[in-house]
Amino acid sequence: MKHINTKCVQAGYDPKSGEARVLPIYQSTTFKYEDAKTLGDLFDFNASGHFYTRLSNPTVEAVEKKIAALEGGVGAMLCSSGQGATTATILTLCKAGDHLVSSSSIYGGSFNLLNITLRKMGIDTTFVSPDATEEELRAAIRPNTKLLFGESVANPALSVLDIEKWAKIAHENSMPLVVDNTFPTPINCRPFEWGADIIIHSTSKYMDGHAMALGGCVVDSGKFDWKESSRHADFCAPDESYHGLQYPEKFGAAAFIAKARAQMMRDIGMMMSPMNAFLLNVGLETLHLRMPAHCANAKVVAAHLMNHPKINWVNFPELADNKYNELAKKYMPNGTCGVISFGIKGGREAAAKFMESVKMAAPVIHVADARTCILHPASTTHRQLSDQQLIDCGVTPDLIRMSVGIEHIDDIIADIDEALENC
């Protein structure tokens, strides 16, 4: 399969004669075998198959294969949430005493994970601007730094990461670049083609597309040479919990995703359920149709708000005067995503009034599904951050994040205008 549209529909599941045409839901925690040797070979990775759904499941595996195909990776691991995917990735690469460098312009939950929770586990983070120069990135790196992390399009600041620059600095320093590609999805952005080594997703967003199933995914490019990395000797060391297994030796290009599953998924247990994987697959089948519709509607809404007398500012990377417009055109020439942000004259109170006044759009703690929704991050997803941290993340008190859906554009505009009349 050459084209991504076809991969959305066909990749991952290839039924044989007499088998179900639609991906079945294997709603079972365990799988039967006739002898101990077979189970032992499965446990030791000397055979392929499924024995316990926390590690693998036929429904989940099919969707993992599809997402790996969409991103162009050698393997993927589905998780119970995007936060699970981020945690599994970092803990596969870091231990107590290690350090990572992250863009400061990331999702509030990810910021809190890095800034609070992982610090309690002995993993330190230095936050830098997504616009950091090469010199600033190099200056943030320490002898114990294990990875660079950023979001291709940040939630909710909508900054665009210069993936090629960040990958260059990461590789100069013998470490991988991890990119969260949730907002643009593989339809609009191809981080592996620009040097990223690991991609993560909150599949709860556009990939699912219908706000039905929580989920996350980690995708391995297979391009990072762990054996040659001076910073990742631990990664290549024998795993005593698997009889001295060495992941690069055993799994080659797929060493990272194998280690993430064998250690993190086994020990922490953030596996996606078969039902959620089934629902995610249904969403993925139309991802290539929905993303252009989201992007087209968002572009119209952004242009409309730019000329509205009650709007202070509009942030959308595809606007010609946006500071990230050139990077957006470089990395996402077919569109970024359906999310925009804007500030309403009158500040926090006016923003709250706007949220109360929309009728079709819904104020929800979610983003990036078929329905238009809005959120005031400063009082919801980012409420745990200080004023300075809010500014660092690109969030202001008047900021409204709008996830533009795939309804008719005239109805979306009418709902916005009516709500603004009440502000």
Side-chain angles (χ1 to χ4, degrees):
M1 287 177 280
K2 179 179 179 182
H3 298 285
I4 199 166
N5 297 22
T6 306
K7 292 176 183 178
C8 282
V9 180
Q10 296 282 355
Y13 176 61
D14 183 22
K16 304 300 186 288
S17 179
E19 294 182 344
R21 183 65 189 91
V22 175
L23 175 65
I25 305 170
Y26 287 84
Q27 194 64 46
S28 178
T29 63
T30 192
F31 302 87
K32 178 184 176 182
Y33 291 91
E34 298 297 332
D35 58 87
K37 182 181 184 306
T38 301
L39 274 172
D41 286 342
L42 289 170
F43 267 101
D44 290 341
F45 299 107
N46 292 324
S48 60
H50 311 279
F51 56 89
Y52 196 62
T53 286
R54 187 175 80 241
L55 285 175
S56 66
N57 173 283
T59 308
V60 175
E61 181 187 48
V63 185
E64 290 171 339
K65 288 180 177 178
K66 175 172 286 189
I67 295 175
L70 293 176
E71 287 287 15
V74 297
M77 183 178 77
L78 284 174
C79 300
S80 55
S81 68
Q83 285 293 88
T86 305
T87 303
T89 297
I90 294 172
L91 292 182
T92 301
L93 298 174
C94 298
K95 66 180 186 309
D98 286 340
H99 171 258
L100 65 114
V101 176
S102 172
S103 166
S104 60
S105 186
I106 56 175
Y107 167 59
S110 298
F111 188 95
N112 198 70
L113 170 68
L114 301 182
N115 192 49
I116 304 296
T117 304
L118 288 181
R119 290 192 200 278
K120 294 178 182 178
M121 300 170 68
I123 299 171
D124 198 13
T125 299
T126 295
F127 293 97
V128 299
S129 166
D131 310 326
T133 65
E134 291 186 8
E135 291 72 23
E136 289 169 333
L137 284 171
R138 291 189 185 100
I141 293 171
R142 305 174 186 172
N144 60 338
T145 306
K146 294 301 177 73
L147 68 123
L148 266 60
F149 174 76
E151 296 180 358
S152 51
V153 176
N155 174 15
L158 302 179
S159 56
V160 177
L161 193 73
D162 191 340
I163 300 170
E164 192 172 30
K165 177 175 70 177
W166 281 59
K168 173 187 174 183
I169 303 305
H171 297 158
E172 278 182 4
N173 289 274
S174 194
M175 69 182 75
L177 171 63
V178 179
V179 173
D180 184 325
N181 198 35
T182 295
F183 268 12
T185 81
I187 301 299
N188 286 344
C189 186
R190 316 288 299 166
F192 287 157
E193 296 175 10
W194 296 101
D197 301 288
I198 298 163
I199 291 173
I200 59 176
H201 287 277
S202 169
T203 62
S204 319
K205 311 304 189 296
Y206 288 119
M207 282 187 164
D208 170 282
H210 302 85
M212 291 190 299
L214 284 175
C217 190
V218 186
V219 190
D220 184 358
S221 71
K223 296 178 181 179
F224 192 81
D225 192 339
W226 301 101
K227 291 190 288 186
E228 293 299 317
S229 172
S230 60
R231 294 175 181 269
H232 287 281
D234 290 345
F235 189 96
C236 302
D239 182 354
E240 297 306 322
S241 67
Y242 274 108
H243 312 295
L245 173 67
Q246 293 177 284
Y247 292 93
E249 298 295 335
K250 179 74 173 181
F251 298 100
F256 171 80
I257 205 70
K259 192 173 193 289
R261 187 183 304 278
Q263 292 184 339
M264 292 304 109
M265 190 62 73
R266 176 197 65 190
D267 294 345
I268 299 178
M270 71 286 279
M271 172 56 74
M272 179 179 286
S273 71
M275 175 61 77
N276 279 13
F278 173 85
L279 293 171
L280 171 58
N281 188 61
V282 174
L284 288 169
E285 289 179 349
T286 61
L287 182 63
H288 63 293
L289 301 175
R290 291 183 284 105
M291 286 308 295
H294 282 291
C295 292
N297 277 353
K299 198 166 186 177
V300 174
V301 170
H304 177 74
L305 291 174
M306 284 286 290
N307 299 311
H308 199 287
K310 290 193 176 182
I311 299 299
N312 269 329
W313 53 269
V314 180
N315 182 20
F316 185 58
E318 294 177 52
L319 293 173
D321 63 348
N322 187 278
K323 66 180 291 186
Y324 296 106
N325 184 250
E326 290 303 314
L327 285 176
K329 288 192 291 186
K330 174 181 177 178
Y331 294 116
M332 293 156 262
N334 296 320
T336 54
C337 62
V339 181
I340 68 173
S341 60
F342 54 93
I344 299 175
K345 291 181 179 178
R348 186 185 294 266
E349 290 184 4
K353 183 67 174 176
F354 177 79
M355 289 183 65
E356 295 169 356
S357 300
V358 292
K359 294 180 179 178
M360 184 183 73
V364 296
I365 307 296
H366 195 250
V367 67
D369 67 66
R371 294 163 288 271
T372 297
C373 57
I374 61 173
L375 192 68
H376 185 220
S379 59
T380 54
T381 56
H382 287 59
R383 66 180 297 118
Q384 77 274 23
L385 304 185
S386 68
D387 288 347
Q388 185 57 52
Q389 288 172 336
L390 285 172
I391 293 170
D392 291 342
C393 288
V395 177
T396 56
D398 65 341
L399 185 149
I400 290 288
R401 182 187 68 184
M402 172 170 278
S403 178
V404 183
I406 57 175
E407 304 94 344
H408 195 284
I409 188 60
D410 291 350
D411 293 326
I412 298 172
I413 294 292
D415 191 37
I416 292 170
D417 286 349
E418 184 177 339
L420 286 172
E421 288 178 5
N422 294 326
C423 296

